[in-house]
Structures are given as C-alpha cells and as structure tokens.
Amino acid sequence: MTDEEINAEIILDHYRNPHNYGRIENPTSEVTEYNPVCGDTVHMEVVERNGIVEKVSFLGRGCSISQGSASMLTDLVTGKPVEDVMKMSSDDYLKILGLDLGPAREKCALLSLNAIHKALKEEGDQ
Amino acid sequence: MIDGNLIKNDFPILSRKFHGKELVYLDSAATSQKPRSVIDSISDYYENHNANVHRGIYRLSEEGTELYEKSRKNVADFVSADAREIVYVRNTTEGLNLLAYSLGKKLSHGDTVLLTEMEHHSNMVPWQFLRDKGVRIEYVKMKEDFTLDMEDYAEKLKMRPKIVSVTQSSNVVGTINPIKEMVPMAHEVNAAFIVDGAQSVPHMPVSFSGLDCDFLVFSGHKMLGPMGIGCVVGKLEELRAMDPFLGGGDMIREVSYDRATWNDVPYKFEAGTQNVAGSIGLSAAVDYLRNLGMNNVREHELLLIRETSRRMGEIEDLEFFGPADPGIRGGVFSFNLGSVPAFKLERDLKSGNLVVSRGVHPHDVAASLDMHGIAVRSGHHCAMPLMGRMDVAATTRASYYVYNTVEDVNKLFIALNDVKREFAR
Ligand SMILES: Cc1ncc(COP(=O)(O)O)c(C=O)c1O
C-alpha cells in the first residue's frame, strides 16, 4: 500500500468509528460549520481551561472526508494549548491528512478545522 | 432502435480510460459528450469559413452569414418553429435571464410570476431579481410522488400570474411535466408560458408550435452540441413586443448619440459578435439527433430507465427520488445509498438525534464510482430548494443519453454494491 492509500484507510476508519462523537457537558463554546454546496455539517463543542483544549467533541453529517477528518482532528487537539491549535493552518492540516484531494474535497477536509478555530476564537472573544 | 455500442464509436472522448477503466459517462444531464461530426463542423468553420457575420460585403463573410442562418433554420425545423422565432443565446440560463429581463420590464408591483418547486436555479434566480420592484413569486407544489400538484397549479392560476415558467423535465428527479395540459390553462388567465427545455429538447421530440407555449429555452451543450450556444424560441408577436436584453452592435437599426431603434427579430436580441462556430456545431448536433430520430432517442432512454428500475431493488436501503412510472421520467436516476437527510441544528441537536448517520454521502458515492471509471454527479444539482423540500442534503445522479448502454447500467449497479460495502458503518 502507498502512503496515500494508508492515509485514506485511516480516514475511512475514523469515518466508520468516529472518536469523540457526541456532546459534552458544559462546553465553553460550540460552533456549527456547514458547506452549503454538499450539505456537509460539523458541529464542534469545546471545553477550554487555562489556555488548554481540555475536551472536544463533534457531531455531524457528511462525506467520509468531512466526518473522518473531524474525528481525527478531535484526537489531535485534545490536551493541546489553544495557541498551537490556532496556529495550525489549512496547509498544515492537509499535510497531516496526507490525501490527494481536489479543491472541492479540500473544503470537506477543512470544515472541522474551521469549526475549531471559530470555537476557540469565540471563546477568546468572551 | 438505437445501439449505444455503435454510437459510442462516434464519440472520441468515450474511448478514454480513467483509473484503468473505460469511461462510463453518466452525467449527460450536466453536459453531453460531442460526436465527431460536431467537433469536425466547428474545426471546418474556423479552418474555412471564419469571418464576422452580417457585416462584411466580401464573399467569406457572406459564407459565414449563410452558415449561421442555415443553422438557425435547421434548429427551427428541429423544434417545429419559424427561423425568425429562434434567438441565439449562450445557454438556458442566459435565455431565462433574457426573458426575466425583457418580460419583467412590463411587470409592476403586485404582479405574480408562477414557477414550480422543481425548477433549476436558473429558472428561479432571474425571476427573484424582479422582487425589487414588488413582483411576487409563487411555486406550484410537487407531490410526494414527484409529480406536479395540478390542483395546486389550477389554484395558483387564480392569482392571475402574468408569467408561468416551468421545466418540461426535471434535472433532479426526472419528472416529465404535462406541459401540453398546462399551457392552455395558463393562457386562459392570459399568462405567458415559458418552457425550460434544457432537459427535454435533447431527449424527446419537442414541438414549439405543438406545445403552443410562448417561449421555449434550451442549451446546445446538453444535446450533443458545443458549449456557449443555446436558444430562446419565442412566438413572433411576443418577441416583437419585447424590449431587447443586451445593447450593442447588430441589434440596432439606427443609432444616434441620444437613442437607437431596434433591428427586426431575432436580431434585436443578438447584440455583438455571435457564437457562429457554436451555432454551426449545434446544427451538426441537430443533424445527428434527427438522423437517430427523437422518438428512438426517447425509446432508448426508456429502456435504460426501465433497466435501472428493475435493478434498483438489488440494493438494500437505496432511496430513489423520482416518479415510479418510467413513462413520465426522463433518463435521470437520482438516488442515495441510505438516507442522507440535511443536518438541521434544531432538529438534530435539540431532539437528541445524535446517532451516526448510516447513509453514504453522495460525495463518497461519486468519488468511489470514479475509481470504477463511472462519472456521475453528486450534490444539489442547482436545485437547493428542491433538496430542502425532499429533506436530503444531496443526491447522486446518474443520467443517460444515446451513447449509454444496458451494460453501462449493469456496471453502475455492480459498482454501487462495492460502494455500499466500502462505506458501511
Ligand atoms: C432544467 C434545467 N434548466 C436550466 C439549466 C441551465 O442550463 P445551462 O447551464 O446550460 O444554462 C439546466 C442545466 O443543468 C437544467 O437542467
């Protein structure tokens, strides 16, 4: 298997058995991101304490890329400093996913990253 | 009878391979492929006859003009209209914008335009522009069986709409609407009737004079012709009474620094240098279709739709969007593998409906079919309101044309079984 195929399997695995799926109690913020073109939706809930992402969960509906990458992201950011998560760029995250995605599906892959950025920003604004 | 296998030979692109598989092109509702004769006619124009039309006195320019007008006559014959009733535009979208602009100019505050719930965005958005001047837009309901609610139509006609604009065949659910029955009902209340023929003219016999509608709009690229050429067919007296849409060269009779007078129809709607090569390609496409016979084209697609309906039961949880009766269905197969409802915050979050959805998202279906060499469309098919009405986020759509075969349908179903397995959860 090529690296790309392995990465595709990993995403598919997250899609089939999503991690951190559901809601959490007393989130410090929550955000819903939606792509009107395909209807992909990711809702993220976050508990942030002392500048650390303590807990994240997501819910949603959409293609394997949008849902699989959301699940992967929740693993990735849990326990991380908010600052680091905010610094993660689209390119950084696409590199981590390691998939050869066309422009349309890159949007699917980035839905959850946009959601968490918005959630953490909202938190910071308060 | 049409033999799709023989016809495939006429379409150079269909010999391409993707991911090692022969291309099975099932997206003709978006755009059709082009036969060799159409491609050649365009090259021939540029190689031998190119000059700006209606302007030059020299022989070459006259040749171009002759070809352009010959195309107009050919297309007019194809849809049983007079050549003067054919206005060339870029596509259906531009045609509908032309009508919304020129007919819309005569509407005033409180007037109604009647559409249906199954219209393409191009038959909604141009009319929505008229809201600024207080024009009301109403929609005929679609019933649960994906046909138009004719009682609702009769009821809404009582509002005495000035314009009724309806698709003859839906690009999403395939429904063929009873236009022949709808036109006289609209005329009874003095409404002008517009037929969006984008999905009908390519696929079945359509007669402009037979339908007795006021306008018929269609795109060349969906009927084996090139992109960038389409038609507004309009009754002469209607076209004459309308103001032009675009201003510029060719559409005028006389221009002073203050004002201008308009050329005759159809030229008053054809401002600027026209897509002459496109019109010649469209004419070649019309020749190709006429040679097959539009009744045969329709019969061929019926065969593929019947085969599709027969195979549908093989796939558990398949949700199908379209009328059950193939007799009122175009060559369109819209479906989902399991249910793919739109995510609605209030409904899904607050009702505690938090389970992982089992349906396979149409994006995954289309991407996975691509790996089998099968090209289908997934998404909202430029009909977002209809998606909402059907409570789906998106669908996958396979659409057929003359070069598709029962074997293509077979390949689709074999691949769909694989897709289901791949994304099961
Ligand atoms: C029913 C219908 N109307 C209008 C259009 C718009 O056609 P075009 O994109 O060629 O302007 C389409 C194309 O998808 C269609 O299917």
Side-chain angles (χ1 to χ4, degrees), chain A residues 12 15-16 18 21 23 32 36-38 40-41 43 59-64 105 108, chain B residues 341-343 345 348-349 354-357 359 361 363-364 367 380 384 422-425:
Chain A
L12 209 50
Y15 163 77
R16 292 195 188 107
Y21 193 87
R23 309 197 68 176
T32 307
V37 175
C38 52
D40 281 348
T41 310
H43 173 83
L59 279 171
R61 204 170 286 145
C63 67
S64 57
R105 302 213 87 193
C108 306
Chain B
F343 191 89
L345 256 193
D348 289 303
L349 278 186
L354 304 179
V355 290
V356 174
S357 137
H361 193 275
H363 260 177
D364 288 326
H380 54 61
M384 281 184 171
E422 186 181 353
F423 291 99
R425 64 176 187 173

Side-chain angles (χ1 to χ4, degrees), chain A residues 15 34-35 37-41 60-64 66-67, chain B residues 317-321 334-344 347-348 353 355-366 378-381 386-396 419-420 423 425:
Chain A
Y15 163 77
Y34 167 69
N35 179 351
V37 175
C38 52
D40 281 348
T41 310
R61 204 170 286 145
C63 67
S64 57
S66 73
Q67 304 303 301
Chain B
D317 297 339
L318 184 135
E319 277 193 355
F320 161 64
F321 306 95
S334 217
F335 65 95
N336 274 327
L337 299 178
S339 104
V340 184
F343 191 89
K344 290 194 181 130
R347 184 177 68 183
D348 289 303
N353 171 22
V355 290
V356 174
S357 137
R358 306 260 161 233
V360 186
H361 193 275
H363 260 177
D364 288 326
V365 177
S378 66
H380 54 61
H381 316 294
L386 180 56
M387 293 287 125
R389 166 79 181 68
M390 302 195 300
D391 193 20
V392 287
T395 76
T396 305
V419 175
K420 260 211 94 174
F423 291 99
R425 64 176 187 173

Side-chain angles (χ1 to χ4, degrees), chain B residues 29 91-94 120 122 167 169 171 196 198-199 219 221-222:
Chain B
N91 47 37
T92 305
T93 303
E94 185 175 300
H120 188 274
S122 63
T167 189
S169 180
N171 64 310
D196 173 352
Q199 298 295 343
S219 298
H221 71 95
K222 293 183 199 279

Side-chain angles (χ1 to χ4, degrees), chain B residues 270-281:
Chain B
E270 294 181 355
T273 296
Q274 295 297 296
N275 185 356
V276 179
S279 78
I280 287 163

